[in-house]
Amino acid sequence: MNAGEMWLDEAVCPFCSLLCDDLRLERSADGAVTLIGPECPIARSGYAQAAAPIDQPPSIDGEPATERAAIERAAALIAASAAPLVAGMAVDVDGVRAALALADACGAAVDHLQSEGLIRLLLPLIEGGAVQTSLSEVRNRADFVLVLGPDPRRLAPRLLERVLPPAGLFLPSGAKRRLIFLGDAPEAELPAHLVCDTISAPAGRLAELVGALVRLSSGGPLRRPEIAGVAVERLDELAQQLRQARYGVALFAPGLMEGPQAEPAISAMLHLVRELNRVTRWAALPIAGGDGLVGAAQAMLWQSGLPLRSRFDAMGPRFDPYRYSTQRLLAESEADLLLWISALRPTPPPDSPVPLIALAHPQTRFARTPSVFLSVGVPGVDHGGVMFRTDGLVALPLAPVRSAPRRNAAELLSAILRALPGVAG
């Protein structure tokens, strides 16, 4: 080890929804953090971006300002707004809670930058429910995994490494796990210990294909030679394999499934899992997008009783998954102020003419100069916190890996809330 460098072991990575807790990091004397291993492109990029220069002063309309002045200006803009929008929300759970408290105080709509995938899953869940599982259960029990749609490793590169190792605690010794991709082909090399296959089909016909599997797995006939270009004989063979699994898991990434057929495909897959549970054990495991999406959804639920894409008003929070989307509110000029929070990555806000308050990663590049800019620390790098894993069952603590003068988003949001007129300090 060179002078001025320090090794950090078993760090929790905040940059995707797996929250891998086995990272080895190197911290240099100037505060830069580098991933040593295990290799992951998302983690490597996240730590490299976090190494941005720390001298990003607060600003008002592009001019340097004191933190106090920026906070007071942000509070004044919020107080003058009739329809504020709190969006992005890419932060740890404490940051989300502070954002929700501020939204409640000013009557804002709230949305997350990754919420489109959440809504694609949420609506089928509301309609029919689901049998879901955890990462640990998949690791220890799954002998058959069916991947629907795009390869989830695009969002979570170490997914198969983490949840499908060669041996499982409750798998027979020497048993081979089977992995079937239904729809898209895998985008990266697959582990050699898995027995893998691909059944290709157009994204727009996945719901039809899964619906056929529901019928075949329950013993019903199909009177067509093929479905979505797949021979019925091949589908019938797959249906029988699904029934014979000891512990099957349906993996899919709602955030990667686009187009009008995405929601019906997810609904059909959840239906298939429910039907297979009549004869064996099956469960679904949605792979969420990163940016703290799961923690934001959890915090919103326990603090308001409703999902994201809700608005706080005098009658209490109101949920509407279409009306309160960031894109629609800005496109239809139904928001007159945007408070953008993105601490984990330099993700810019949507371009919009409304005043912009940005609590953002220091490397963020804006299409338009924010009315107020406050640089925030990166959770799990500059400060500690808590984030939820993709299965929603485990909250992992984040430890800071360096000392940095950047304030965390929760502190700044709480300061803005206290600066609002009529709010007691």
Side-chain angles (χ1 to χ4, degrees):
M1 185 186 305
N2 297 327
E5 295 178 344
M6 179 178 294
W7 291 90
L8 304 163
D9 291 320
E10 297 183 347
V12 176
C13 172
F15 298 113
C16 96
S17 62
L18 290 183
L19 298 183
C20 297
D21 58 358
D22 60 346
L23 270 63
R24 301 188 306 279
L25 306 174
E26 181 184 86
R27 187 185 68 214
S28 62
D30 62 1
V33 179
T34 304
L35 174 67
I36 303 303
E39 181 55 38
C40 171
I42 290 179
R44 185 167 296 282
S45 171
Y47 286 111
Q49 290 171 338
I54 305 220
D55 55 348
Q56 294 287 339
S59 65
I60 298 175
D61 296 325
E63 297 297 324
T66 66
E67 182 181 284
R68 186 67 232 169
I71 288 170
E72 290 175 352
R73 177 60 176 158
L77 288 170
I78 292 170
S81 169
L85 168 61
V86 177
M89 296 181 71
V91 69
D92 61 304
V93 170
D94 283 344
V96 173
R97 295 177 66 184
L100 294 177
L102 180 57
D104 190 16
C106 67
V110 292
D111 192 17
H112 191 278
L113 63 87
Q114 298 273 8
S115 66
E116 195 63 37
L118 175 69
I119 298 301
R120 292 190 196 116
L121 174 65
L122 180 62
L123 297 182
L125 283 176
I126 292 172
E127 180 181 329
V131 181
Q132 293 187 216
T133 189
S134 68
L135 297 181
S136 298
E137 285 288 274
V138 177
R139 181 182 181 90
N140 289 321
R141 298 182 185 276
D143 63 334
F144 198 111
V145 175
L146 182 65
V147 179
L148 178 70
D151 192 336
R153 291 178 295 172
R154 200 186 305 172
L155 296 178
R158 297 183 62 203
L159 176 64
L160 299 185
E161 171 193 345
R162 297 287 286 175
V163 305
L164 294 177
L169 185 61
F170 301 109
L171 286 174
S173 178
K176 290 278 191 178
R177 302 183 195 252
R178 191 168 184 84
L179 179 66
I180 304 290
F181 284 81
L182 184 63
D184 289 10
E187 296 185 2
E189 185 178 355
L190 295 168
H193 63 269
L194 299 175
V195 178
C196 303
D197 198 1
T198 300
I199 299 176
S200 298
R205 301 192 67 184
L206 284 179
E208 183 182 353
L209 199 61
V210 178
L213 286 173
V214 172
R215 183 164 179 80
L216 290 168
S217 64
S218 60
L222 289 178
R223 296 182 176 86
R224 294 174 54 184
E226 56 84 23
I227 302 289
V230 182
V232 167
E233 290 80 5
R234 179 68 182 94
L235 289 176
D236 189 48
E237 177 189 1
L238 175 58
Q240 298 314 310
Q241 292 171 344
L242 301 180
R243 290 171 59 91
Q244 292 164 10
R246 295 181 58 188
Y247 192 108
V249 175
L251 270 178
F252 54 93
L256 298 179
M257 300 174 69
E258 300 178 347
Q261 292 300 311
E263 187 183 315
I266 292 171
S267 182
M269 180 58 81
L270 297 180
H271 185 192
L272 176 61
V273 167
R274 291 194 300 269
E275 289 299 314
L276 288 168
N277 270 285
R278 298 179 185 274
V279 293
T280 185
R281 293 185 69 185
W282 268 82
L285 181 62
I287 303 302
D291 296 303
L293 172 62
V294 180
Q298 298 280 58
M300 179 66 186
L301 188 60
W302 81 57
Q303 291 203 188
S304 74
L306 291 176
L308 292 164
R309 291 199 178 173
S310 295
R311 181 175 182 177
F312 294 90
D313 61 25
M315 302 297 292
R318 299 172 183 267
F319 169 63
D320 191 317
Y322 303 112
R323 182 179 181 185
Y324 297 130
S325 78
T326 298
Q327 181 179 5
R328 202 204 68 81
L329 286 171
L330 295 176
E332 300 294 330
S333 300
E334 291 189 19
D336 62 1
L337 173 75
L338 173 59
L339 170 57
W340 182 256
I341 308 163
S342 182
L344 289 156
R345 296 186 298 161
T347 305
D351 191 17
S352 169
V354 304
L356 169 65
I357 301 168
L359 276 64
H361 191 291
Q363 282 199 0
T364 307
R365 298 293 176 261
F366 300 93
R368 184 173 50 88
T369 301
S371 301
V372 175
F373 170 76
L374 288 159
S375 175
V376 296
V378 179
V381 178
D382 298 315
H383 62 85
V386 171
M387 293 181 73
F388 273 87
R389 214 170 57 180
T390 188
D391 51 18
L393 300 175
V394 176
L396 290 176
L398 306 174
V401 297
R402 69 180 180 195
S403 297
R406 299 174 189 159
R407 297 281 297 278
N408 69 56
E411 294 171 340
L412 292 172
L413 289 163
S414 297
I416 293 171
L417 174 60
R418 291 192 297 270
L420 287 178
V423 175

